[in-house]
Amino acid sequence: QVQLVESGGGLVQAEDSLRISCAASGRSFSNSAMGWFRQPPGKEREFVAAISMSVGSTFYRDYAESVKGRFTISSDNAKNTVYLQMNSLKPEDTAVYYCEVGQGLGPVRSGRVGYWGQGTQVTVSS
């Protein structure tokens, strides 16, 4: 079975940094993409970032406008693990962050994937 295991969430202050991780297991992800959605309190789930797990010249990264320039998504393809480095955190970044894996950047970008992590809480205080 496909399993996504997240770690790294927690409580931080505004302008702090935090890195969350997601390790995928259960099948080959060499032609997949992984990414992050988040759900702020009282709001709908929204796209955060995505990254291709493919080798070669098809590597892409994509970010929501609200996090571009502050967040960086990266991956360790050998470990099927994706990271989200979050810098200059703001209170509005407070949300449950969900890891996802899909067949490509399109499905991951749109959230049309079959596998999600359990979610990890990130809280930014001010």
Side-chain angles (χ1 to χ4, degrees), residues 19-81:
R19 189 178 77 161
I20 56 177
S21 305
C22 175
S25 62
R27 65 170 174 87
S28 173
F29 300 97
S30 60
N31 294 312
S32 300
M34 297 180 67
W36 298 91
F37 269 59
R38 69 184 183 185
Q39 187 166 21
K43 298 183 179 180
E44 296 181 346
R45 192 177 298 191
E46 63 185 22
F47 170 76
V48 178
I51 186 170
S52 173
M53 302 294 286
S54 299
V55 299
S57 60
T58 59
F59 177 85
Y60 293 103
R61 296 178 183 181
D62 194 18
Y63 300 93
E65 289 296 323
S66 60
V67 306
K68 195 171 186 178
R70 299 187 298 119
F71 291 10
T72 302
I73 188 169
S74 62
S75 66
D76 184 335
N77 291 25
K79 297 181 178 180
N80 295 321
T81 299

Side-chain angles (χ1 to χ4, degrees), residues 11-26:
L11 305 176
V12 298
Q13 294 182 336
E15 301 185 24
D16 281 355
S17 297
L18 191 67
R19 189 178 77 161
I20 56 177
S21 305
C22 175
S25 62

